[in-house]
Amino acid sequence: MSEKIGKHIAIYGKGGIGKSTTTSNISAALAEAGYKVIQIGCDPKSDSTNTLRGNTYLPTVLDSLRDGKKIHLDDISVKGFSGVLCIESGGPVPGVGCAGRGINAAVNLLQELNLFEEFKPDYVLYDVLGDVVCGGFAVPIRDGITDRAYVVSSSDFMAIYAANNLFKAIQKYEPSGGAKLGGVIGNGLTAVYSQAIIDDFTKKTGTKAVGYVPRSLVVSQSELYGKTVIEANPESEHANIYRSLAKYIAENEDLVVPNPLGAAELRDWAREWGDKIYQIESGVVGEPAEAI
Ligand code: ADP
Ligand code: MG
């Protein structure tokens, strides 16, 4: 593959965990700082860039390909907040085909259209659904498209389970030119022990947390306006959290191949935390989990 133009970063995580919210705020923060940014939604939900472009209509790459007409960049992209170029790969017709297919189609089309040579981005962010890292959804970390991935996770077991699966995919593909891991972004944290759970999981897997975004009404309210926090509430504490996260991700070169936990290890680890939370909440130290 030819020399990359810009830093290409994949952001994974389970559905509904806050990938698009986090990615869009990172894009907005980088654009606000003067960088040229492209955000590519790689989720059949096709709503990755909504808050960067005021919820306006944007045809997806797959929908445009289905029309069979010659596609121009303007047909499948729109400039949003601070000039962030927004693209949605799209998904299959419900009930037909592979959900990850759009990603491959989008990546191929963008190369054909010489997007990166012409737009000359500083950063390209891929917002990728990571519930199952199947062939299609692994494309951004597998085929040399990005060289670094981050995962958005809460302290909930299903989110950590999805993060652990991404670690497995990275471990598998990295030796043949796949991406490495930049770290874990904690999102939607509420309980006092949420951060401790994420920290413990990253320690166990040889990775690290690169930022923590607490749950906040500022995020919900900005979304209702069809805007990122950076645009709708630029003076808020949350805007600054996203700015710091963006700066960290932009500059971080400490990339690793994670050591995912095996199925039994992950189950035991979760159970230990179940016991700890019981002890914290009940004030009873040393009771086994069966006592609940
Ligand atoms: P995903 O892209 O992973 O499917 P979204 O970014 O669309 O998830 O987020 C799902 C919902 O959670 C959205 O309504 C979003 O506003 C909300 N959300 C995400 N992060 C936060 C947060 N830190 N605080 C409050 N709400 C959040
Ligand atoms: Mg999303």
Side-chain angles (χ1 to χ4, degrees), residues 14-21 45 187-188 213-216 219 223:
K14 79 177 266 296
I17 203 63
K19 293 178 295 299
S20 301
T21 307
K45 240 198 304 174
N187 184 50
V213 184
R215 188 153 198 89
S216 167
V219 178
E223 184 188 41

Side-chain angles (χ1 to χ4, degrees), residues 20-36:
S20 301
T21 307
T22 310
T23 310
S24 299
N25 275 289
I26 292 173
S27 289
L30 291 173
E32 179 193 61
Y35 294 108
K36 290 190 84 175

Side-chain angles (χ1 to χ4, degrees), residues 15-16 18-21 43 45-48 127 129:
K19 293 178 295 299
S20 301
T21 307
D43 186 327
K45 240 198 304 174
S46 309
D47 62 352
S48 169
D127 169 9
L129 180 64

Side-chain angles (χ1 to χ4, degrees), residues 108-168:
N108 290 340
L109 180 72
L110 298 181
Q111 273 168 7
E112 267 170 45
L113 294 174
N114 275 334
L115 169 67
F116 304 129
E117 288 79 358
E118 283 180 18
F119 191 82
K120 298 189 178 54
D122 297 300
Y123 296 95
V124 184
L125 276 75
Y126 300 76
D127 169 9
V128 199
L129 180 64
D131 281 314
V132 280
V133 191
C134 75
F137 291 113
V139 164
I141 52 161
R142 194 186 63 186
D143 297 346
I145 290 162
T146 65
D147 65 351
R148 59 200 66 201
Y150 289 82
V151 61
V152 177
S153 180
S154 68
S155 57
D156 291 347
F157 183 68
M158 287 322 294
I160 298 229
Y161 180 87
N164 196 56
N165 267 349
L166 175 73
F167 294 179
K168 287 182 184 171

